[in-house]
Amino acid sequence: GQQVMQIPQYQHVQEGEDFTTYCNSSTTLSNIQWYKQRPGGHPVFLIQLVKSGEVKKQKRLTFQFGEAKKNSSLHITATQTTDVGTYFCAVPYRSGGFKTIFGAGTRLFVKA
Amino acid sequence: DVKVTQSSRYLVKRTGEKVFLECVQDMDHENMFWYRQDPGLGLRLIYFSYDVKMKEKGDIPEGYSVSREKKERFSLILESASTNQTSMYLCASRYGRYDTGELFFGEGSRLTVL
């Protein structure tokens, strides 16, 4: 079945430093989504990328979809303590209906 | 706003008990999912349903079954709970029959099997 590899598993940063998490697929993707899960919370949708080479920004967050549509990244500029949590990428997989498969997530720790 | 409601936030069960986890969504979504979340393993798909009475296995269906008799409700059943099923269970729903669209999650059900 569909698999997506996400790295790193953990990242510790000092407040103000940048952070990046990466997702890679062995197959071409129709789209990729990113979610954030705060400690003790549930995953919340951030964005969906569809086009080859697409770059989208949400304030300090920059999302990229690779030219080959097999990889994606989420970059946070100047992290804040409010950025702590786990960031997941998610991809569709057709099997009858369309399932959504998640990467293992990157947990971000921010030290003030 | 879309609301996905899971029946229990915390459950403690004994080995061998039958466990029902209920999930209800209020936005007429076609697709519903059950995931299991364990530290370092992310969200692993247990079962998926894209229509009433339709179900598909995910990556880790062993030891679980599901039921979707009504569009708004998707139940996860542990026929005989085991300690290795101690975990956080997350239900989600999504609109549409295509490969796009965000998932809306419930608050999660933390199950402990003793």
Side-chain angles (χ1 to χ4, degrees):
Chain A
Q2 174 69 50
Q3 287 190 332
V4 57
M5 303 302 295
Q6 186 173 359
I7 57 170
Q9 188 174 3
Y10 301 97
Q11 185 86 60
H12 292 256
V13 300
Q14 197 76 29
E15 189 174 24
E17 292 182 339
D18 292 356
F19 160 78
T20 305
T21 174
Y22 302 89
C23 277
N24 290 285
S25 167
S26 58
T27 60
T28 302
L29 303 169
S30 59
N31 66 76
I32 191 165
Q33 298 176 344
W34 287 92
Y35 292 79
K36 177 183 179 180
Q37 183 178 25
R38 296 181 186 275
H42 58 276
V44 175
F45 175 81
L46 293 176
I47 207 161
Q48 178 172 284
L49 305 173
V50 179
K51 298 177 182 178
S52 169
E54 188 170 16
V55 178
K56 286 189 175 180
K57 293 190 175 184
Q58 291 179 352
K59 297 183 180 178
R60 294 177 295 103
L61 277 61
T62 301
F63 304 85
Q64 292 190 340
F65 202 8
E67 294 290 339
K69 299 182 74 173
K70 289 185 175 182
N71 58 77
S72 181
S73 65
L74 158 58
H75 179 83
I76 302 178
T77 303
T79 55
Q80 300 176 358
T81 54
T82 53
D83 295 324
V84 298
T86 303
Y87 294 84
F88 295 97
C89 60
V91 300
Y93 173 64
R94 180 158 198 172
S95 173
F98 286 100
K99 302 175 185 176
T100 299
I101 305 299
F102 282 77
T106 297
R107 186 161 184 183
L108 174 63
F109 299 87
V110 180
K111 186 175 182 181
Chain B
D1 284 350
V2 174
K3 192 166 178 65
V4 179
T5 303
Q6 294 185 229
S7 54
S8 305
R9 289 296 304 274
Y10 301 94
L11 302 94
V12 179
K13 299 292 182 180
R14 295 204 176 275
T15 301
E17 281 192 80
K18 191 169 186 176
V19 182
F20 292 87
L21 299 179
E22 303 281 334
C23 176
V24 177
Q25 49 96 1
D26 66 356
M27 284 301 291
D28 204 35
H29 285 177
E30 289 82 359
N31 307 284
M32 296 189 76
F33 305 78
W34 275 107
Y35 292 91
R36 171 176 170 162
Q37 184 171 23
D38 301 287
L41 298 178
L43 281 71
R44 293 181 292 166
L45 182 63
I46 305 172
Y47 266 99
F48 159 62
S49 170
Y50 57 91
D51 204 346
V52 175
K53 297 190 185 295
M54 302 303 291
K55 58 186 179 184
E56 289 186 11
K57 293 180 180 179
D59 295 323
I60 52 165
E62 297 78 18
Y64 304 94
S65 62
V66 290
S67 172
R68 193 162 180 207
E69 296 297 318
K70 293 185 177 181
K71 192 174 185 179
E72 68 270 18
R73 187 180 297 270
F74 192 34
S75 302
L76 180 68
I77 303 153
L78 288 65
E79 293 288 342
S80 178
S82 63
T83 55
N84 62 14
Q85 292 179 309
T86 292
S87 188
M88 171 66 82
Y89 292 88
L90 288 161
C91 174
S93 72
R94 188 186 73 220
Y95 173 77
R97 300 193 182 280
Y98 304 102
D99 63 349
T100 187
E102 67 178 280
L103 268 66
F104 294 87
F105 282 87
E107 295 291 329
S109 298
R110 183 166 293 282
L111 172 66
T112 301
V113 183
L114 303 176

